[in-house]
Amino acid sequence: MKNRNYLSLFSLLLLVVLVLSACTGDSTSKDADATDDTKGNDDKTLIFGRGADSIQLDPSKVTDGESIYVTNQIYDTLVRYKEENTEVRPALATEWKASEDGKTWTFTLREGVKFHDGTDFNAEDVVFNFERWATSGEFIYYGYMFGASEGDLGGIIEKVEATGDYEVQFTLSEPNAPFLQTLAMPPFAIASPDAVKKYGEDYFKNPVGTGPFVFEEWIPDDKITLSKNENYFGEVANVDTVIFRTIPDNGARFLELQAGSIDMMTGLNPQDIQTAEGDENLQIIRRPSMNVSYMAMNTSKEGPMSSKKVRQAINWAIDKEKLLTLYEGIGKPAKNPIPPSLWGYNDEIEDYGFDVEKAKSLLAEAGYADGFDIQLYTFANPRPYMPQPKITAQAIKEMLKDVGINVEIIVNDWDTHLSVTENGEHDMAFLGWTGDNGDPDNFLYVLLDKDNAKKGSAGNIAFYKSDEVHDLLKAAQTEMDQAKRTELYLKAQELIHEDAPWFPIAHTTPPIAAKKSIVNYVPHPTGSEPLNLLDIKE
């Protein structure tokens, strides 16, 4: 994607005129009649600026936040998180119960719900979606969370049955402590079976759910348009239209917010926060922190990255405190793969610190006293956990030069970066994670278990494979006592710290900049939220 450092005054004026004209027109008519006292004048349009486009709009096939933010508006899951935390509440399911052994879960479904294509929602639709996910390895998150693999596509879910028109039952091969929390994750949203069959391979760009907004249009690398679902079973949206606009450059996006041509934005340059706070027309809203940014070292590649001592040396060679100045107040240093806001966080672990001589000594012990050449892959676009990735990569390059490691920086767009890292083509690579369900399993198992180190769909892009860590994480999944699970996660973090497959960087409180007219917006710790409660007060 192209980056811009500024917008011309002419461009800004043109954008303002275009957006204002769009906001005052009727959604189905663009003629002059819409300028009078018509229904179109009362329509509310929210324009949301972001740094990258969605990859696709089938939530079961993606892991990136830019896709999930949009699909979170279109779909519903069986259960949903509360507005302010990851406690589960009813959604498409109104009630649920688990058997004593934790292997059977029964859900009572909401009646009278319709998909956006007009078809009725019932238990068979839930069965269809889960069977779809379990019969193909392309549904990445299903594999991450339920242990599915090429040889065992169903993973721990043995069967899903419609035990009534509005009752569905899950049978698991083993207890799974985070099961209910996992079902609230956006990738397990329920799609219209009729639409999936109708669009086939093109379903990813023709999404149909039951959510508060209906998909209207997607112009790649430009915008995605959604309209209010007037028949939503929950709280009907206050805004009539939501437009997600892709504006790659942080500075250009902020200029558009200042000019009034967008209403909200993510990916704010840290240095622009103070400017926004001083603008009487703008506000800064900070998302609660439940994330981590990191530099993964590909342990599966022959050469330096396969050596634990080299990976430890890299941790010692980087001045994390200096690196965090690039976050300008929105980041706190990370030492573990999970954020301190989660239960199970091991605060007893002592971070590596910054010691150039220690790093050089470890490199010599590993047989690399003269250093080596290596590639670091980064993404061009800002992410909530890393606002300035290219500058961060340059800073690490300069620091590693002091211990004889010569870094070549490879910059790719977001989609390409995900593809490269999932396929293990990198030596080192930046990435990050925003927690999906408030459970340590969602960080440790997804990002660092050997089950998820599969080329082509890797969540574990360090390709770190520790049998001891795997045994701890699997035991934690089947243990229903949280205190016992905590002990398992504390030990797993100790082993991961020692093996050093990552250089953990930061946990952030990502800022969202918005017009003062935006009210009732509550950012969720998981990184996205339905926008039906938000309103615009002029």
Side-chain angles (χ1 to χ4, degrees):
M1 296 184 180
K2 295 180 180 178
N3 288 327
R4 294 174 294 169
N5 293 321
Y6 60 90
L7 290 176
S8 68
L9 179 60
F10 174 78
S11 298
L12 281 172
L13 291 173
L14 179 60
L15 283 165
V16 172
V17 171
L18 289 173
V19 172
L20 288 175
S21 65
C23 291
T24 56
D26 188 275
S27 61
T28 59
S29 174
K30 299 187 183 299
D31 56 35
D33 293 341
T35 62
D36 295 326
D37 293 329
T38 63
K39 181 180 177 181
N41 280 337
D42 296 327
D43 284 356
K44 293 180 181 179
T45 297
L46 175 76
I47 303 177
F48 196 108
R50 57 196 187 141
D53 199 1
S54 300
I55 293 176
Q56 58 167 294
L57 299 180
D58 181 349
S60 59
K61 291 186 176 182
V62 293
T63 63
D64 71 294
E66 299 298 3
S67 297
I68 294 297
Y69 211 116
V70 178
T71 63
N72 217 352
Q73 316 308 320
I74 300 170
Y75 295 91
D76 285 301
T77 42
L78 291 178
V79 291
R80 208 180 245 292
Y81 303 123
K82 289 188 175 180
E83 289 174 51
E84 68 282 358
N85 57 39
T86 54
E87 187 178 338
V88 168
R89 63 178 174 83
L92 288 174
T94 57
E95 298 176 4
W96 51 88
K97 60 182 178 180
S99 60
E100 276 191 37
D101 63 4
K103 293 183 180 181
T104 304
W105 289 78
T106 305
F107 292 81
T108 302
L109 306 180
R110 192 179 299 274
E111 299 184 30
V113 176
K114 288 186 178 293
F115 289 102
H116 299 154
D117 58 7
T119 57
D120 293 323
F121 163 76
N122 58 37
E124 292 294 346
D125 299 324
V126 177
V127 174
F128 173 88
N129 277 269
F130 275 85
E131 288 183 346
R132 177 184 179 229
W133 301 332
T135 53
S136 172
E138 63 183 320
F139 299 102
I140 297 174
Y141 240 125
Y142 190 91
Y144 286 175
M145 302 310 298
F146 298 125
S149 64
E150 290 184 11
D152 181 21
L153 288 171
I156 64 167
I157 299 180
E158 290 189 339
K159 58 183 175 179
V160 184
E161 303 170 281
T163 48
D165 289 343
Y166 294 96
E167 184 180 272
V168 64
Q169 189 172 91
F170 294 80
T171 303
L172 311 183
S173 60
E174 60 188 34
N176 183 262
F179 183 68
L180 188 63
Q181 302 291 115
T182 297
L183 291 184
M185 291 164 52
F188 305 115
I190 304 301
S192 161
D194 282 22
V196 172
K197 295 170 186 174
K198 175 182 176 180
Y199 293 110
E201 292 184 359
D202 285 336
Y203 178 71
F204 76 93
K205 53 185 178 183
N206 295 281
V208 179
T210 62
F213 291 94
V214 180
F215 172 75
E216 296 291 345
E217 181 185 37
W218 184 5
I219 302 175
D221 296 322
D222 182 8
K223 65 180 179 180
I224 295 174
T225 303
L226 313 178
S227 64
K228 173 168 63 176
N229 178 7
E230 297 281 5
N231 300 311
Y232 187 50
F233 67 80
E235 293 192 51
V236 176
N238 294 303
V239 296
D240 300 280
T241 305
V242 176
I243 299 173
F244 289 93
R245 278 194 54 207
T246 301
I247 308 168
D249 185 76
N250 289 5
R253 202 177 319 114
F254 185 54
L255 283 174
E256 292 214 34
L257 180 67
Q258 290 176 302
S261 54
I262 62 175
D263 300 296
M264 301 176 66
M265 65 167 282
T266 54
L268 189 70
N269 280 330
Q271 57 268 30
D272 288 332
I273 295 175
Q274 189 172 356
T275 302
E277 289 176 330
D279 189 324
E280 62 180 8
N281 297 313
L282 301 179
Q283 59 179 315
I284 291 292
I285 305 165
R286 295 181 186 271
R287 186 179 298 282
S289 180
M290 196 168 73
N291 61 29
V292 64
S293 58
Y294 59 90
M295 183 176 72
M297 291 169 269
N298 191 343
T299 63
S300 69
K301 275 198 167 185
E302 290 186 13
M305 293 301 100
S306 64
S307 167
K308 179 172 75 172
K309 287 185 177 180
V310 168
R311 300 193 301 268
Q312 290 176 336
I314 288 173
N315 272 269
W316 284 109
I318 300 173
D319 186 342
K320 192 174 296 184
E321 185 176 333
K322 185 176 181 180
L323 200 65
L324 264 289
T325 62
L326 299 174
Y327 284 68
E328 299 198 25
I330 68 168
K332 294 183 177 180
K335 63 180 180 180
N336 292 320
I338 67 174
S341 57
L342 285 191
W343 61 268
Y345 179 81
N346 193 336
D347 202 26
E348 296 301 312
I349 286 175
E350 187 174 340
D351 204 1
Y352 281 93
F354 174 55
D355 189 330
V356 170
E357 295 307 314
K358 177 73 171 177
K360 288 180 177 179
S361 175
L362 284 166
L363 288 174
E365 289 176 27
Y368 294 98
D370 296 328
F372 52 85
D373 298 335
I374 204 79
Q375 290 181 329
L376 168 59
Y377 281 73
T378 184
F379 37 88
N381 306 101
R383 307 302 304 145
Y385 42 74
M386 189 177 288
Q388 301 185 101
K390 288 190 287 185
I391 297 174
T392 304
Q394 189 62 40
I396 286 178
K397 175 180 178 175
E398 294 303 315
M399 293 176 192
L400 292 182
K401 187 188 298 183
D402 291 339
V403 297
I405 301 175
N406 301 309
V407 177
E408 178 189 3
I409 298 173
I410 309 294
V411 182
N412 284 313
D413 63 80
W414 181 232
D415 195 0
T416 303
H417 184 76
L418 291 180
S419 177
V420 165
T421 54
E422 286 173 358
N423 281 286
E425 298 172 27
H426 58 288
D427 298 319
M428 303 189 300
F430 284 159
L431 208 57
W433 191 256
T434 300
D436 296 292
N437 64 8
D439 195 292
D441 175 79
N442 182 241
F443 282 84
L444 296 172
Y445 180 71
V446 172
L447 303 180
L448 286 159
D449 192 85
K450 68 177 186 178
D451 284 351
N452 292 318
K454 308 181 193 78
K455 288 190 176 181
S457 63
N460 174 1
I461 69 162
F463 293 87
Y464 169 63
K465 298 177 181 179
S466 164
D467 289 337
E468 192 173 358
V469 169
H470 172 76
D471 290 344
L472 289 166
L473 298 183
K474 292 301 291 183
Q477 287 180 341
T478 58
E479 174 58 64
M480 305 305 284
D481 185 316
Q482 185 168 309
K484 293 179 181 177
R485 293 184 74 206
T486 295
E487 290 301 315
L488 295 167
Y489 288 133
L490 293 177
K491 179 61 176 175
Q493 288 168 81
E494 290 176 9
L495 296 173
I496 292 165
H497 178 76
E498 170 68 18
D499 289 339
W502 285 8
F503 171 72
I505 301 174
H507 309 292
T508 66
T509 49
I512 300 110
K515 292 179 180 177
K516 280 278 178 69
S517 56
I518 301 296
V519 297
N520 300 331
Y521 170 67
V522 181
H524 199 266
T526 58
S528 68
E529 52 282 322
L531 297 174
N532 54 316
L533 301 182
L534 170 153
D535 204 354
I536 304 174
K537 299 294 186 184
E538 299 296 347

